[in-house]
Amino acid sequence: MTTLWHGRFKGGSSEALKALNDSLSFDMRMYREDIEGSRAHVRMLERVGLISGSDERVILNALDQTEKEISEETFLFEPSDEDIHTAVERRVTEIAGEAGARLHTGRSRNDQVATDLRLWLKNEMKELSSLVTEFQKTLMSKAVASEGIYLPGYTHMQQAQPVMLAHHLLAHGWALSRDVDRLLNALNHADVSPLGAGALAGSSLPLDPDGVAKDLGFTGRFNNSLDAVSDRDFVADALFALALLGVHLSRIGEELILWASTEFGFIELDDAFSTGSSMLPQKKNPDVAELARGKAGRLIGNLTGFLATLKGLPLAYNKDLQEDKEPLFDACDTARLLLLALNGMVETMKFNAEKMKEHADNPYAAAIDLAEHLVAKGIPFREAHAIVGGHVATALAGEESLTQLISSDERLGPEAATLLTPGAAVKMRTTPGAAGPEQVKVQLDEFKKQLKIQQERLKE
Ligand code: ARG
C-alpha cells in the first residue's frame, strides 16, 4: 500500500517544503570542503577495494571538474540540488556515469555534512585568529607610540587613578589573546573526523575511517558513530568564542565612543572611519565603534539561538542540525567585518594627550598615593585612608586646595604634596603588572612574546 508520504514523494516535493528544507543557498560556501571530503572518501574506497583504480581516477577527475565549474561560476545548479552535497554528487554522476554513482558508497550526508563543516570551521578559526592577532598588533603599535601619555583610569565610570595609555590599550590586547585561545580551542574540538559514521551506525562495508581522517588532516576519528553525526559542540564552541570576542570588541567600541565625545575629547577619529550626519553639518560619528557594540548582540544571539536548537535533540541526526550553518557563517562574517573595521579605526585614530593629561592630573586621582605615603610612615591603612579622605572632603567643600591642605598637615607635608604634581602619581604604580611606565615597558615585552606565540600557533 502506498503511504501518503510515499505518494507525495513520487509526486515531488512541494515548493513550500523545498523553500524550507533546501540549504544550498548557504551551504554552497562549503563546496571546497565537500569536494575535499569526497576525494578522501573515494581514495579510501579504492584502498579498501570497494572501487577500482580506474573508477577512482574517473571520480577524482569529475570532482576536479565540478570544483572548477563551481569556482568559475559556470556550474549549473538544478532545482533538485537540495544542498551542496546533492549538487556535487549529481554533477559527478553526470560527468563520471556509473563510476560517479559509486561515490556515495558507505557514506551518508549525515557524516558528510559534519565533515565539511568541521573542515570549514578549522580553516575559519585560523583566519579569524590571525585577524584578531593583527588587531592586537595594531593595539601594540599604538601602545608603543603612546610613550609617556597617561590618562585617568576609571572605576564606576568615575576617575580613579591615572594609568599609562599603553596599559589601557594592552588591557584590551590581553583579552583578545584569550579570544585567540578560545578560537583555537574551537578548532581543536572540530579536529575529529566523523567520516565513516554513515547515517548513524557505521557500515557493513570495510571502510577505513582512520585513513580518511589522516588523509583530511584531522588529528583522529570519532569513537562513536551516533555522537559523530549528532555532535555540534564544536559549532557551539566557535559561537561562544565569537560571542565573547564580540563582547570584547563591543567594550572597546563603547570606550572609543566615549573617548571620541566632546565631553571626553581623548581621541580624534580619522575621516575614513567615521561618518557624518545627514542633517547636522558638524557631526562626526563613531559608527564603526557603535556597530562593534551593536553587533555583539547578534553574536550572542547566534550562540543562544543555536544552543536552543540543540537542547531538545535526541540522537542522532535530525534536520534541526541544518540550523548550525547560518548562525556560524553569520558569526564568522560578522566577526571578520568588525575586526577589519575596528583595526582600521584604531590604527588611524589620534590621541589627544593634553586632554587625557588634564583629567589624569586631577589631584584627587593621587589620593591613594597620599594614603600609601602615610602607610610607608607606619600609619595603619584605614587610618591613612580616613586622614586623606578628610582632606579631600575639606578641599571639595572649602577654599583651600588639596595641595595646600596636604602641605600644611604635619603628618603629610610638602614632600607628600609633590605626589599631587602633574605626572607624579602614575609613576608610583610600580608593582608587577601595574599601570606605571616602568611596568608597562615590561608588559610590552611580554605582550610581544605573546603575539609571537600566537603567530607560531597559527603556522601549525
Ligand atoms: N543539508 C543537510 C544539513 O545541512 C545535510 C544532511 C542531510 N541529511 C539528511 N539525512 N537529510 O544538515
Side-chain angles (χ1 to χ4, degrees):
M1 208 180 75
T2 325
T3 60
L4 179 67
W5 169 245
H6 185 69
R8 223 175 223 259
F9 205 73
K10 245 189 183 164
S13 313
S14 72
E15 279 307 308
L17 174 127
K18 275 193 67 58
L20 173 67
N21 196 48
D22 289 6
S23 53
L24 183 66
S25 62
F26 52 88
D27 62 23
M28 227 186 83
R29 70 191 280 174
M30 304 192 303
Y31 79 90
R32 284 188 199 283
E33 289 77 13
D34 194 69
I35 289 171
E36 207 37 53
S38 286
R39 286 192 183 111
H41 184 65
V42 167
R43 288 192 284 259
M44 180 278 293
L45 291 177
E46 193 278 330
R47 279 201 308 277
V48 302
L50 282 166
I51 61 169
S52 67
S54 70
D55 277 353
E56 180 198 11
R57 273 189 302 281
V58 173
I59 305 173
L60 289 176
N61 284 338
L63 283 166
D64 288 349
Q65 188 180 327
T66 305
E67 184 172 31
K68 192 162 179 281
E69 287 175 4
I70 302 180
S71 71
E72 290 174 356
E73 293 178 28
T74 56
F75 188 98
L76 294 175
F77 288 99
E78 302 271 342
S80 60
D81 293 341
E82 184 185 322
D83 51 27
I84 189 61
H85 328 293
T86 321
V88 169
E89 192 186 340
R90 193 248 319 141
R91 185 68 187 125
V92 166
T93 313
E94 271 169 20
I95 302 167
E98 207 193 290
R102 296 182 196 278
L103 166 61
H104 212 50
T105 308
R107 188 177 70 170
S108 157
R109 277 185 298 159
N110 299 351
D111 54 351
Q112 188 179 357
V113 69
T115 307
D116 294 3
L117 195 57
R118 284 173 183 269
L119 288 172
W120 187 89
L121 189 139
K122 280 175 64 179
N123 197 32
E124 192 69 11
M125 290 301 108
K126 266 209 171 156
E127 284 187 16
L128 288 171
S129 297
S130 82
L131 285 180
V132 177
T133 308
E134 286 305 308
F135 185 32
Q136 289 175 285
K137 278 198 224 157
T138 299
L139 287 170
M140 188 182 78
S141 57
K142 283 291 194 191
V144 171
S146 77
E147 206 184 331
I149 305 180
Y150 56 93
L151 76 166
Y154 296 81
T155 61
H156 313 271
M157 270 314 285
Q158 305 290 315
Q159 293 182 0
Q161 286 182 275
V163 297
M164 296 306 291
L165 176 57
H167 192 63
H168 194 116
L169 295 172
L170 288 187
H172 292 302
W174 289 108
L176 292 169
S177 276
R178 297 191 293 276
D179 290 319
V180 169
D181 212 40
R182 272 183 285 269
L183 291 169
L184 295 178
N185 274 343
L187 183 157
N188 288 339
H189 284 153
D191 194 18
V192 178
S193 173
L195 204 54
L200 76 165
S203 175
S204 66
L205 301 169
L207 305 178
D208 173 22
D210 287 302
V212 171
K214 204 160 164 229
D215 193 351
L216 286 172
F218 283 110
T219 301
R221 62 148 167 95
F222 62 96
N223 287 305
N224 180 308
S225 62
L226 290 172
D227 185 38
V229 291
S230 63
D231 170 21
R232 293 292 185 279
D233 293 2
F234 64 100
V235 176
D237 282 331
L239 288 174
F240 174 68
L242 292 168
L244 195 48
L245 169 64
V247 167
H248 290 150
L249 299 181
S250 171
R251 294 176 71 172
I252 295 173
E254 168 65 4
E255 280 187 352
L256 297 180
I257 293 164
L258 287 173
W259 286 9
S261 68
T262 313
E263 287 71 10
F264 273 78
F266 285 0
I267 51 170
E268 161 116 39
L269 300 178
D270 194 86
D271 284 0
F273 289 92
S274 34
T275 55
S277 155
S278 59
M279 181 172 166
L280 310 173
Q282 86 282 12
K283 292 297 293 294
K284 190 166 179 187
N285 296 329
D287 289 28
V288 169
E290 288 169 279
L291 285 167
R293 194 175 57 185
K295 282 187 191 287
R298 176 178 180 140
L299 290 166
I300 294 166
N302 282 329
L303 169 67
T304 56
F306 183 58
L307 289 175
T309 296
L310 286 183
K311 75 171 271 297
L313 296 188
L315 293 174
Y317 179 84
N318 300 274
K319 198 56 175 267
D320 315 45
L321 289 174
Q322 185 166 281
E323 289 296 304
D324 56 1
K325 283 171 277 300
E326 284 166 295
L328 178 65
F329 295 162
D330 182 72
C332 293
D333 293 345
T334 302
R336 182 184 302 262
L337 284 174
L338 288 176
L339 287 164
L340 291 171
L342 266 183
N343 191 11
M345 182 177 177
V346 169
E347 202 164 34
T348 54
M349 70 191 189
K350 302 246 172 337
F351 296 114
N352 185 344
E354 276 313 304
K355 230 357 189 338
M356 292 183 178
K357 193 167 140 35
E358 187 188 306
H359 286 280
D361 284 336
N362 165 4
Y364 297 108
I368 181 66
D369 300 300
L370 297 173
E372 284 174 3
H373 180 84
L374 291 173
V375 165
K377 288 182 162 176
I379 297 180
F381 177 70
R382 272 293 142 238
E383 213 176 294
H385 186 284
I387 293 169
V388 178
H391 286 309
V392 168
T394 315
L396 284 171
E399 280 97 66
E400 270 189 289
S401 72
L402 187 61
T403 309
Q404 287 166 327
L405 290 165
I406 299 304
S407 303
S408 53
D409 180 331
E410 63 202 17
R411 292 163 300 188
L412 287 148
E415 193 202 331
T418 62
L419 292 169
L420 303 178
T421 55
V426 73
K427 294 205 185 91
M428 305 297 291
R429 317 265 80 80
T430 50
T431 47
E438 275 168 44
Q439 282 302 318
V440 168
K441 261 203 194 103
V442 176
Q443 191 187 157
L444 264 169
D445 284 341
E446 290 301 318
F447 195 66
K448 262 179 222 158
K449 275 188 219 150
Q450 169 64 26
L451 293 188
K452 269 229 173 79
I453 293 171
Q454 281 175 220
Q455 270 158 334
E456 287 307 310
R457 280 181 83 184
L458 290 173
K459 275 193 218 141
E460 281 167 22

